[in-house]
Amino acid sequence: MEWVTTRLRLDALRESDADVLFQYRADPSVARYQGWCPATREDALDFIRSQRDASIDTRDSWFQRAIRLSSDNALIGDLGVHVPAHPEDSYEFGITVAPSHQGKGLAREAVQALFDVLFGSLGAHRVHASIDPRNLASAALLRSLGMRQEAHFRESLKVRGEWVDDVIFALLAREWPAANMHG
Ligand SMILES: CC(C)(COP(=O)(O)OP(=O)(O)OC[C@H]1O[C@@H](n2cnc3c(N)ncnc32)[C@H](O)[C@@H]1OP(=O)(O)O)[C@@H](O)C(=O)NCCC(=O)NCCS
């Protein structure tokens, strides 16, 4: 399954992506607020291999897509969506863009494609994202997509030995066409 936007192609991660994936995922500025950070290139490869049989139709699972520039197919990030156990439940997503490609509206473009699929063919009712409130770039991205902050849980997660806050942003299907028109 491949999703295409003006500048991007979203498709499956390949084993040949391991070096680039490791490079940007292990970058401290990228890993700072993420739950998962590869310690080695092998970790990146294992992550890619763990997605070999992944499908967006598999309930209660994470489905990961590579984000590539359509101009030269270069891997510039990745995007994961959690498909809920029950079709009526909320879909969760997370996105990562390599530092050299941030700030160009590419993350927004990738998530717009994801929302078109989730709210379109998959018939999702609600989509949410969970972020560390100190992750300002992430909060700005989610707001720019029309998402609304719905909750702020204090020190509800322990990440690498540190208690951190968890902020939830969400969007409903009926809000997406309107939010999308401003994009
Ligand atoms: C979060 C992340 C994907 C954003 O990527 P990006 O390429 O900078 O996002 P875009 O260029 O598409 O920008 C989207 C919006 O966010 C804003 N934005 C992006 N970075 C920002 C920053 N550091 N400060 C303020 N606003 C920022 C942009 O201005 C834009 O808003 P606009 O449409 O109103 O102009 C990127 O910073 C990243 O990969 N961070 C590390 C991984 C991570 O923490 N992911 C968790 C996400 S759920």
Side-chain angles (χ1 to χ4, degrees), residues 137-152:
S138 208
L141 166 68
L142 302 180
R143 286 207 171 88
S144 83
L145 287 155
M147 297 185 82
R148 156 188 64 251
Q149 183 178 321
E150 292 190 343
H152 186 145

Side-chain angles (χ1 to χ4, degrees), residues 41-57:
R41 181 189 174 279
E42 273 303 305
D43 286 351
L45 195 55
D46 286 347
F47 176 74
I48 292 168
R49 286 182 177 149
S50 73
Q51 279 289 309
R52 198 177 309 164
D53 301 321
S55 156
I56 200 151
D57 297 320

Side-chain angles (χ1 to χ4, degrees), residues 29-30 33-34 93-98 101-109 129-131 135-138 140-142 144:
S29 72
V30 166
Y33 300 116
Q34 307 248 57
F93 76 96
I95 181 166
T96 303
V97 170
H101 288 88
Q102 290 178 8
K104 299 175 182 171
L106 293 172
R108 210 164 108 92
E109 196 169 312
S130 149
I131 64 164
N135 191 346
L136 301 181
S138 208
L141 166 68
L142 302 180
S144 83

Side-chain angles (χ1 to χ4, degrees), residues 20-164:
V20 177
L21 183 90
F22 172 62
Q23 240 166 44
Y24 70 75
R25 277 289 198 143
D27 183 307
S29 72
V30 166
R32 176 71 183 95
Y33 300 116
Q34 307 248 57
W36 180 73
C37 169
T40 62
R41 181 189 174 279
E42 273 303 305
D43 286 351
L45 195 55
D46 286 347
F47 176 74
I48 292 168
R49 286 182 177 149
S50 73
Q51 279 289 309
R52 198 177 309 164
D53 301 321
S55 156
I56 200 151
D57 297 320
T58 307
R59 301 246 146 247
D60 198 13
S61 73
W62 278 93
F63 179 66
Q64 205 77 26
R65 294 282 81 183
I67 305 175
R68 305 181 197 280
L69 291 180
S70 39
S71 55
D72 60 3
N73 252 352
L75 180 73
I76 60 134
D78 59 89
L79 179 156
V81 53
H82 181 256
V83 183
H86 303 286
E88 293 82 12
D89 289 349
S90 190
Y91 285 71
E92 180 177 356
F93 76 96
I95 181 166
T96 303
V97 170
S100 54
H101 288 88
Q102 290 178 8
K104 299 175 182 171
L106 293 172
R108 210 164 108 92
E109 196 169 312
V111 179
Q112 283 174 328
L114 173 71
F115 283 5
D116 281 343
V117 172
L118 296 183
F119 290 131
S121 54
L122 289 183
H125 177 66
R126 181 176 185 273
V127 172
H128 73 276
S130 149
I131 64 164
D132 185 312
R134 296 169 296 177
N135 191 346
L136 301 181
S138 208
L141 166 68
L142 302 180
R143 286 207 171 88
S144 83
L145 287 155
M147 297 185 82
R148 156 188 64 251
Q149 183 178 321
E150 292 190 343
H152 186 145
F153 299 107
R154 302 293 303 277
E155 298 191 11
S156 61
L157 299 170
K158 202 169 201 180
V159 180
R160 290 183 282 278
E162 179 193 15
W163 284 108
V164 297

